[in-house]
Amino acid sequence: MRTTVGIIGAGPAGLLLARLLHNAGIDSVVLESRDRAYVERRQRAGILEQGTADVLRAAGAGERMDREGLRHDGIELRFDRRRHRVDFPALTGGRSVMVYAQTEVCKDLIALQLREGGPLLFEAEALAVEDAATDAPRVRFRHEGSEDVLECEYVVGCDGFWGVARNAIPAELTQVFERTYPFGWLGILADVPPSHDELVYARHDRGFALLSMRSPSVSRLYLQVPDGTDAGAWSDEEIWEELERRFETADDWRLERGPITQKSVTPMRSYVHEPMRHGRLFLAGDAAHIVPPTGAKGLNLAVGDVVTFARALTHREKTGSAELLDTYSETCLRRIWQAERFSYDMTTLLHRAPGATGFEDRLQLARLERIASSRAAETDLAEGYTGFPFG
């Protein structure tokens, strides 16, 4: 099998890249190790930055998002039983975010790819990327019980942290930067309408809490818990009681309860792999970087990567110049490090570290007071949350 761009992974990054290339008249093949049903129900991110929503619309994949997604023009910060709303459009010149689950993005892009795009092979496990430093890289993969080879001009690894693409970059050429956090998020899905019409980020002496949503009838909520926590160790009653404590306000706001349909624990880490390119192999998304979910940046960073690659390859096809491809890693990393900074700031602003001192508690409150009282500080948060420009 032969193509121009071999894409490993049919998450939102790989699927969007295939769509962008199709619209530019560039052929591709997408290899996905899981079956279609798994990809379409894999719960991950749910917040789309302004730029991500705009890219989906421009790619022809935004119709259902605009019909069913929930535009959010702000978030609420809670601390010391106080409530402070951050108004995104007023602070950013009209920018906002969209609540639209990754599962729905994937469904939309899969439907488009199967109807209009190039081959999308499910249950096709990539085994290795070979000859990445040459002009003819190859992806060795297993599909329908036998091994095959995808011959490409370029390979883009959108196969996540545990995928094979990153392993094709020689270790002596790489640098890894990472930080692990001593806490995680206990997340639940509940069949109950959200108790607030925008996301609520709560800093509490007992730990962080987040009120989010998947739809007008389904709530998504999170609690900070110690690293290594077993989600099954928390009863439904304990979860609701703890959420009520951490979201407590001085007014009459109350948290609505409902049946919990899913529990899971998400670990927290920051990770960057440099470079993101080796020869004709390009990394995108979690294959190259991970952020703690506090800043809602993971999916959006992956979108930025594939937009950058698609622009660079289109430029090469039109002009013959490889300049943008040659600077792919540097271009992506400038945005990635800003997102890493923002996600780290949000995480340390709102989570209480184990053994935190009274001094550290007061610093957190002072930082939150600064955001609530300074338009400059509030604008910095709003600009970061709604998204940094694509390179």
Side-chain angles (χ1 to χ4, degrees):
M1 186 180 295
R2 182 184 298 273
T3 191
T4 302
V5 182
I7 301 170
I8 308 175
L15 291 166
L16 177 59
L17 176 57
R19 181 66 182 175
L20 295 173
L21 295 175
H22 169 77
N23 290 348
I26 301 170
D27 63 291
S28 68
V29 173
V30 183
L31 305 176
E32 167 56 47
S33 62
R34 303 284 193 162
D35 61 28
R36 179 177 178 178
Y38 180 90
V39 174
E40 291 187 339
R41 68 172 182 265
R42 181 167 45 193
Q43 291 288 341
R44 292 290 188 273
I47 305 294
L48 308 183
E49 295 174 354
Q50 179 77 58
T52 295
D54 290 343
V55 165
L56 290 170
R57 293 184 186 104
E63 180 182 352
R64 193 163 71 92
M65 174 191 72
D66 283 329
R67 186 173 67 249
E68 300 178 9
L70 306 174
R71 173 181 163 136
H72 280 204
D73 287 335
I75 58 173
E76 182 172 288
L77 300 176
R78 292 193 185 176
F79 57 100
D80 261 0
R81 303 179 70 216
R82 293 173 49 193
R83 306 170 63 179
H84 176 76
R85 181 176 184 268
V86 179
D87 185 332
F88 293 156
L91 297 163
T92 64
R95 296 170 67 83
S96 63
V97 298
M98 181 76 74
V99 176
Y100 191 62
Q102 173 177 313
T103 50
E104 306 311 306
V105 173
C106 287
K107 289 175 187 176
D108 296 341
L109 290 169
I110 287 170
L112 284 170
Q113 184 71 8
L114 294 177
R115 185 170 68 243
E116 303 173 6
L120 166 54
L121 304 182
F122 291 104
E123 298 180 87
E125 179 187 5
L127 303 174
V129 177
E130 300 171 342
D131 300 327
T134 74
D135 291 342
R138 301 150 38 101
V139 182
R140 191 159 44 84
F141 67 99
R142 183 184 295 112
H143 185 234
E144 296 180 343
S146 61
E147 285 196 18
D148 202 345
V149 172
L150 178 62
E151 298 179 349
C152 319
E153 295 179 31
Y154 305 91
V155 175
V156 182
C158 304
D159 51 344
F161 183 78
W162 301 107
V164 301
R166 191 174 63 249
N167 296 332
I169 301 181
E172 63 270 19
L173 301 180
T174 69
Q175 282 187 291
V176 169
F177 306 87
E178 60 185 325
R179 178 187 180 93
T180 57
Y181 299 86
F183 43 75
W185 280 9
L186 170 61
I188 65 167
L189 279 175
D191 285 338
V192 60
S195 300
H196 194 60
D197 56 0
E198 293 178 333
L199 274 69
V200 177
Y201 287 77
R203 185 269 173 206
H204 193 278
D205 285 344
R206 296 177 64 90
F208 168 75
L210 172 62
L211 186 158
S212 184
M213 59 213 66
R214 283 295 176 262
S215 74
S217 60
V218 177
S219 293
R220 183 74 159 151
L221 300 111
Y222 298 93
L223 285 170
Q224 177 188 343
V225 293
D227 185 39
T229 293
D230 175 11
W234 283 71
S235 71
D236 292 6
E237 180 69 19
E238 288 172 330
I239 290 171
W240 287 117
E241 287 181 356
E242 190 62 26
L243 286 166
E244 286 177 348
R245 291 189 192 99
R246 298 189 193 183
F247 285 124
E248 184 182 17
T249 64
D251 58 18
D252 59 358
W253 181 92
R254 62 188 297 251
L255 180 68
E256 297 295 333
R257 297 187 180 197
I260 293 175
T261 59
Q262 186 184 105
K263 300 178 190 177
S264 62
V265 173
T266 301
M268 305 278 280
R269 65 186 307 214
S270 302
Y271 174 91
V272 180
H273 179 282
E274 297 185 8
M276 293 173 59
R277 178 203 177 179
H278 175 59
R280 293 289 186 97
L281 168 65
F282 298 78
L283 303 181
D286 286 0
H289 45 77
I290 294 173
V291 288
T294 325
K297 289 283 162 275
L299 182 155
N300 297 290
L301 278 182
V303 168
D305 295 342
V306 299
V307 167
T308 301
F309 176 81
R311 286 176 178 170
L313 185 55
T314 301
H315 181 74
R316 170 65 181 266
E317 295 292 307
K318 289 181 176 179
T319 68
S321 170
E323 178 186 3
L324 298 184
L325 286 171
D326 291 341
T327 57
Y328 168 82
S329 186
E330 294 85 348
T331 300
C332 290
L333 285 167
R334 282 195 294 272
R335 186 170 187 268
I336 287 161
W337 276 112
Q338 285 301 317
E340 291 281 355
R341 186 270 307 169
F342 177 78
S343 299
Y344 174 82
D345 285 350
M346 288 284 285
T347 301
T348 57
L349 173 70
L350 296 163
H351 293 74
R352 194 171 193 274
T357 65
F359 179 82
E360 291 164 320
D361 290 337
R362 286 292 193 270
L363 282 182
Q364 280 187 321
L365 293 173
R367 290 168 66 190
L368 287 160
E369 289 277 5
R370 175 67 177 169
I371 293 168
S373 61
S374 164
R375 186 176 179 86
E378 195 177 26
T379 298
D380 184 63
L381 188 154
E383 288 179 344
Y385 199 96
T386 54
F388 301 103
F390 297 142

